[in-house]
């Protein structure tokens, strides 16, 4: 069978109907799904990355960045809702792509989703560590920087980030119902925190902090189109897009949902709508209470804990040194505790989403069986959870927050683009297939989703594109060596029809990587560090040569 073989809809429906001790247990209703979505959405993007995006790019206009990012999510969310009501199977965008665009595209999106869920969980873990350090410092407990930051942030290893990822992984292994119960409690706490911050913070807004609303081009340190004005808003939108990641994680829980055709669209769109309103209000208060420049901070932890900085400005009096005295010092710590709990729920949902995507890929034979091995007692993919616990905690321990955050954003935007394309394809090729929810105004909505998401991808830094392309080439290597040969829809050989096209794709990615490497170096200056350029060129040359050498191999005709 060709690499572009599509997974039959009847096979997907049979998968969705499976029951027994070696299948995932159905325990989630509409309210549970909305809580799951909010649990994943409200987290590091809002409490951490918002400050960095405002300080470096958008200023007070970060609220407009949330509107732009929210539009992209709305279009993608409508497409996700149709798919989730039509194909209620674990695997999210991977499964949808397999049914509409074929195995090779499905592999690309499945591998890309690791950036969204696994690397996203690492981002949140790093930010959780930053808030914990701030909280303990308020209690006069000072943890050394060597064990609370990675080597690129002036430390050695980020142990608090490792701790929270291990803890959430162990909770997931216990079972989905137990995880959902804990998540529901944390979500209630987290929404309360956001509302309290908005309500109390509103009275401390200094309208002078909104002037100028857009960072002027003359502002020192904000030279360049993407660091001020309209360009800054769009660059910030691409970065804070990370804050919306989560509503699509709801779709990975389809096989653990009661009546998924009805409840999945409610969970996806409901959680997205609630969070969008809260985000815009939250960003407005945060940049009104404290000037956006405050979020740059001299302390590395300030950059990933901007809410703490804003809370410290919620006071009406100053001391002899002119420092604002917070009116609610007890509330400051209470809010930070709630944020810590909220971050935990984000990590929980992202780790769950990652294991469920790999569960589906493993069931299709594209990756080893260990990822679809279900513990008969807990009915969870325990071994997969353990493996991702090790992978994600390693990322959180050593990689900088900015790097993992932007990798997550570009991976998610790419996934959303493929889902929008998938809905359009399904309407053309399978118009009569039953749909409990239909995306309105097709093809307009999918096209707008593609355009907005691609627009934000283009505005992400070049070094993020380099990491995406390197990641995709590694994934292509794994697919051609293992996945294509072991796929249940394949013929058990590495001579399947389409292998030449896959290798040509690899060559194209390699060439693009070399070009992006030079563009990145040009943007930072050729006198700057050239490590990323050398890595780009080495990867590009090796892969282009490797794939080109195999282009002449014969492949099956069917």
């Amino acid at each position: 069978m060709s690499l572009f073989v599509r997974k039959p809809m009847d096979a997907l429906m049979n998968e969705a109907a499976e029951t027994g001790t070696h299948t995932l247990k159905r325990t989630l209703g509409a309210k549970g799904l909305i809580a799951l979505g909010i649990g994943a959405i409200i987290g590091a993007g809002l409490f951490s990355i918002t400050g960095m995006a405002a300080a470096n790019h958008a200023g007070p206009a970060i609220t407009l960045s949330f509107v732009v990012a929210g539009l992209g999510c709305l279009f993608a969310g409508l497409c996700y809702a149709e798919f989730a009501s039509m194909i209620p199977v674990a695997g999210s965008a991977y499964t949808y792509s397999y049914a509409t665009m074929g195995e090779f595209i499905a592999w690309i999106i499945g591998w890309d989703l690791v950036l969204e869920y696994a690397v996203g969980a690492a981002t949140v873990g790093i930010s959780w560590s930053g808030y914990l350090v701030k909280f303990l410092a308020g209690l006069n407990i000072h943890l050394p920087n060597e064990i609370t930051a990675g080597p690129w942030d002036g430390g050695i290893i980020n142990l608090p980030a490792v701790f929270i990822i291990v803890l959430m992984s162990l909770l997931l292994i216990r079972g989905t119902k137990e995880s959902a119960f804990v998540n529901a409690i944390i979500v209630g706490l987290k929404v309360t925190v956001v509302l309290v911050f908005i309500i109390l913070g509103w009275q401390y807004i200094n309208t002078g902090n909104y002037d100028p609303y857009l960072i002027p081009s003359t502002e020192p340190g904000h030279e360049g189109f993407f660091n001020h004005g309209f360009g800054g808003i769009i660059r910030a939108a691409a970065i804070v897009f990370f804050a919306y990641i989560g509503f699509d994680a709801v779709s990975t829980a389809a096989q653990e949902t009661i009546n998924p055709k009805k409840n999945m669209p409610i969970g996806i769109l409901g959680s997205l709508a609630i969070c969008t309103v809260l985000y815009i209000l939250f960003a407005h208060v945060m940049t009104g209470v404290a000037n956006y420049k405050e979020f740059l901070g001299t302390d590395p932890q300030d950059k990933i804990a901007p809410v703490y900085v804003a809370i410290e400005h919620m006071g009406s009096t100053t001391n002899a040194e002119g420092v604002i005295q917070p009116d609610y010092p007890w509330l400051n710590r209470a809010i930070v505790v709630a944020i810590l709990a909220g971050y935990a729920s984000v990590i929980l949902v992202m780790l769950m989403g990652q294991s469920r995507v790999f569960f589906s890929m493993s069931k299709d034979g594209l990756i080893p069986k260990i990822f679809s091995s279900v513990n008969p007692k807990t009915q969870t993919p325990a071994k997969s959870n353990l493996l991702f616990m090790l992978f994600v905690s390693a990322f959180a321990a050593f990689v900088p927050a900015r790097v993992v955050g932007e990798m997550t954003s570009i991976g998610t935007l790419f996934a959303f683009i493929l889902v929008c394309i998938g809905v359009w394809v399904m309407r053309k090729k399978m118009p009569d297939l039953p749909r409990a929810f239909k995306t309105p105004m097709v093809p307009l909505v999918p096209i707008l989703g593609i355009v907005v998401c691609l627009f934000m991808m283009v505005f992400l830094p070049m070094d993020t594109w380099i990491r995406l392309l390197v990641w995709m080439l590694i994934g292509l290597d794994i697919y051609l060596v293992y996945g294509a040969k072991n796929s249940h829809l394949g013929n058990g050989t590495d001579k399947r029809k389409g292998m030449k096209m896959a290798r040509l794709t690899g060559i194209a990615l390699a060439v693009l990587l070399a070009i992006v490497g030079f563009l990145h170096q040009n943007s930072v200056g050729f006198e700057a560090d050239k490590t990323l350029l050398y890595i780009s060129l080495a990867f590009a040359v090796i892969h282009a040569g490797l794939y080109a050498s195999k282009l002449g191999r014969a492949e099956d005709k069917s």
Side-chain angles (χ1 to χ4, degrees):
M1 297 287 279
S2 165
L3 294 190
F4 295 93
V5 61
R6 292 196 297 270
K7 193 169 184 178
M9 287 299 295
D10 57 349
L12 286 169
M13 293 302 106
N14 290 338
E15 239 178 79
E18 285 179 356
T19 58
T21 57
H22 291 282
T23 60
L24 301 174
K25 191 175 181 181
R26 296 189 183 276
T27 58
L28 300 172
K31 290 180 181 177
L33 289 172
I34 290 175
L36 197 69
I38 295 173
I41 297 171
I42 298 180
L46 182 64
F47 296 136
S48 175
I49 289 176
T50 303
M52 289 191 284
N56 293 321
H57 305 290
I62 190 69
T63 48
L64 298 180
S65 299
F66 273 116
V67 172
V68 173
L71 275 175
C73 286
L74 173 62
F75 299 138
L78 290 167
C79 295
Y80 263 101
E82 175 168 328
F83 265 135
S85 70
M86 187 170 57
I87 310 173
V89 180
S92 183
Y94 160 76
T95 302
Y96 309 154
S97 299
Y98 210 159
T100 56
M101 291 176 280
E103 181 181 295
F104 182 55
I105 302 299
W107 168 267
I108 291 174
I109 198 65
W111 184 251
D112 172 69
L113 285 173
V114 178
L115 290 179
E116 177 177 354
Y117 297 131
V119 180
T123 308
V124 184
I126 294 167
S127 192
W128 187 90
S129 174
Y131 274 101
L132 180 68
V133 169
K134 283 287 185 184
F135 174 71
L136 293 177
L139 299 176
N140 207 28
I141 300 172
H142 300 281
L143 298 178
N145 194 54
E146 288 78 10
I147 63 167
T148 58
W152 282 276
D153 290 326
I156 298 173
I157 184 171
N158 197 329
L159 286 181
V162 173
F163 166 77
I164 190 62
I165 288 165
V166 169
L167 187 65
M168 291 301 102
S169 296
L170 295 176
L171 178 60
L172 268 179
I173 291 168
R174 284 288 304 275
T176 304
K177 187 174 182 179
E178 291 81 356
S179 303
F181 176 73
V182 173
N183 182 66
I185 294 172
I186 294 175
V187 166
L189 183 63
K190 190 157 52 174
V191 172
T192 301
V193 166
V194 173
L195 291 174
V196 167
F197 180 85
I198 293 169
I199 293 166
L200 290 182
W202 204 274
Q203 62 185 308
Y204 296 103
I205 288 176
N206 176 5
T207 53
N209 288 328
Y210 297 133
D211 186 19
Y213 196 61
L214 301 181
I215 298 176
S217 59
T218 54
E219 184 71 31
H222 287 274
E223 298 81 8
F225 179 71
F226 298 118
N227 298 322
H228 65 265
F230 174 75
I233 290 172
I234 303 303
R235 168 65 65 82
I239 294 170
V240 301
F241 187 82
F242 176 84
Y244 284 97
I245 294 170
F247 76 86
D248 58 308
V250 172
S251 63
T252 68
Q255 279 177 271
E256 292 153 280
T257 300
I258 301 164
N259 192 5
K261 290 191 174 184
K262 173 189 173 186
N263 289 329
M264 291 302 293
I266 295 172
I268 291 169
L269 297 176
S271 58
L272 179 59
I274 291 168
C275 291
T276 299
V277 174
L278 291 176
Y279 275 15
I280 294 169
L281 293 173
F282 192 95
H284 179 72
V285 171
M286 194 175 83
T287 52
V289 169
N291 189 280
Y292 72 90
K293 297 174 186 176
E294 299 275 349
F295 302 123
L296 282 172
T298 53
D299 182 349
Q301 303 298 347
D302 284 346
K303 298 179 182 180
I304 54 174
V307 177
Y308 196 94
V309 175
I311 291 170
E312 291 296 307
H313 283 72
M314 289 183 187
S316 50
T317 59
T318 58
N319 62 15
E321 287 78 31
V323 178
I324 295 173
Q325 299 299 293
D327 286 346
Y328 309 100
W330 59 270
L331 184 60
N332 292 1
R333 293 195 181 94
I335 287 179
V336 174
V337 169
I339 288 173
L340 289 170
Y343 272 26
S345 74
V346 179
I347 295 169
L348 183 80
V349 177
M350 286 188 165
L351 289 173
M352 176 183 173
Q354 179 56 70
S355 64
R356 272 45 173 187
V357 171
F358 265 41
F359 175 85
S360 290
M361 294 175 75
S362 178
K363 292 266 286 186
D364 294 330
L366 300 184
I367 55 177
K369 289 182 179 179
I370 190 172
F371 291 102
S372 58
S373 172
V374 174
N375 185 308
K377 183 178 179 182
T378 62
Q379 288 187 257
T380 61
K383 292 177 182 177
S384 180
N385 286 135
L386 283 172
L387 288 171
F388 277 109
M389 179 183 79
L390 297 173
F391 173 76
V392 175
S393 58
F395 248 82
F398 302 110
V399 183
R402 182 193 76 83
V403 171
V404 288
E406 289 171 1
M407 283 176 70
T408 305
S409 287
I410 198 167
T412 307
L413 286 163
F414 185 42
F416 285 5
I417 287 171
L418 288 182
V419 168
C420 290
I421 293 171
V423 162
W424 194 0
V425 170
M426 286 289 273
R427 286 290 186 91
K428 288 282 186 183
K429 296 195 173 182
M430 302 177 186
D432 300 324
L433 206 66
R435 294 165 169 85
F437 175 88
K438 294 185 77 171
T439 303
M441 295 183 288
V442 174
L444 179 62
V445 167
I447 290 173
L448 287 173
I450 293 164
V451 170
V452 174
C453 291
L454 187 60
F455 190 56
M456 285 189 279
M457 280 182 77
V458 169
F459 274 70
L460 279 166
M462 283 292 173
D463 59 340
T464 304
W465 278 89
I466 290 173
R467 294 182 184 97
L468 173 67
L469 291 168
V470 167
W471 181 258
M472 298 315 293
L473 280 169
I474 293 171
L476 187 58
D477 294 341
I478 295 171
Y479 176 70
L480 292 178
V481 171
Y482 183 92
K485 184 177 179 180
N486 292 280
S487 168
H488 294 330
L489 297 183
N491 57 10
T493 74
D494 60 358
K495 297 180 180 180
R496 292 171 61 187
K497 184 180 179 182
M499 292 293 280
K500 184 176 181 179
M501 178 63 72
R503 290 176 182 128
L504 285 171
T505 301
I507 293 172
L509 287 174
V511 172
L512 185 58
L513 176 59
I515 294 170
V516 172
F518 276 110
L519 289 174
H520 167 68
Q521 197 63 45
N522 184 62
S523 67
V524 299
F526 281 90
E527 69 284 352
D529 182 72
K530 297 184 177 67
T531 304
L532 268 180
L533 175 62
Y534 295 146
I535 291 173
S536 304
L537 292 178
F539 245 79
V541 170
I542 291 170
H543 280 83
L546 183 67
Y547 292 136
S549 68
K550 296 182 179 180
L551 282 178
R553 290 191 177 184
E555 59 182 41
D556 294 340
K557 298 186 182 294
S558 60

